[in-house]
Amino acid sequence: MAAKYTLGIDPGMKGGWAVTEKGTGLFAGGGRMPTKAYGKRRQVDVIEWHRQLQALAGEVTTCCIEMVWSSPQMGVASAFSFGLAQGAALAFAQGYGLEPTLVTPQMWKGWYVLRKDKQASLDLCEEMWPEHEKIWSVKANDGIAEAALIARWLDSRKTNEI
């Protein structure tokens, strides 16, 4: 019987995606948000993302996406790019027939009692899944870490703690 997974998504050009096994909370894999150039700008490469997700054996049955929004400090181009990445994440999940749960950073980070600092997410993942230390030791993988924690957060809500 194939494993069932929850997909967590930290949207953005430097975000990431991860899957955790339903019922166990085990980290099953993930990656940085795949992007490609469209003219002078980069956007989410949904085709590559699909290829990466398909490389995992099992079925994604639930999905949770961090709900993001632009901030006044962002420029117009950055805010537009961020919005496109959020839209790509929503479309990607719906392409798998999933109705994603949207969660604010305050909600899922509050559940773990995490600060805003992304290093804290990497540290927690290393504590929870030490067998994947090589992933968590790379600062640029903070989007994968946050996506993994988002997926586990959703699973914990559905199974009353893992």
Side-chain angles (χ1 to χ4, degrees), residues 2-55:
K4 294 191 184 291
Y5 297 123
T6 295
L7 173 64
I9 302 172
D10 177 21
M13 295 299 107
K14 294 184 180 178
W17 63 274
V19 291
T20 56
E21 189 173 337
K22 291 179 78 66
T24 67
L26 294 174
F27 175 77
R32 293 181 194 165
M33 190 62 68
T35 64
K36 73 183 219 178
Y38 286 95
K40 294 181 180 180
R41 302 240 181 243
R42 298 195 70 75
Q43 292 299 323
V44 174
D45 185 345
V46 176
I47 294 170
E48 175 58 20
W49 189 3
H50 174 73
R51 188 193 65 71
Q52 291 175 12
L53 187 61
Q54 289 303 301

Side-chain angles (χ1 to χ4, degrees), residues 6-115:
T6 295
L7 173 64
I9 302 172
D10 177 21
M13 295 299 107
K14 294 184 180 178
W17 63 274
V19 291
T20 56
E21 189 173 337
K22 291 179 78 66
T24 67
L26 294 174
F27 175 77
R32 293 181 194 165
M33 190 62 68
T35 64
K36 73 183 219 178
Y38 286 95
K40 294 181 180 180
R41 302 240 181 243
R42 298 195 70 75
Q43 292 299 323
V44 174
D45 185 345
V46 176
I47 294 170
E48 175 58 20
W49 189 3
H50 174 73
R51 188 193 65 71
Q52 291 175 12
L53 187 61
Q54 289 303 301
L56 296 171
E59 176 188 4
V60 175
T61 58
T62 53
C63 175
C64 191
I65 301 172
E66 185 176 65
M67 188 168 46
V68 296
W69 49 88
S70 64
S71 70
Q73 299 90 332
M74 292 177 129
V76 174
S78 293
F80 186 75
S81 179
F82 202 35
L84 284 174
Q86 177 77 4
L90 288 165
F92 184 80
Q94 291 172 347
Y96 278 89
L98 303 170
E99 186 59 46
T101 298
L102 299 177
V103 62
T104 65
Q106 295 82 359
M107 175 79 76
W108 74 263
K109 285 186 179 202
W111 189 80
Y112 289 107
V113 192
L114 285 175
R115 321 178 288 284

Side-chain angles (χ1 to χ4, degrees), residues 122-135:
L122 287 162
D123 294 344
L124 180 57
C125 284
E126 187 170 355
E127 201 177 293
M128 290 172 54
W129 302 295
E131 65 278 14
H132 299 286
E133 183 272 334
K134 286 184 180 179
I135 296 171

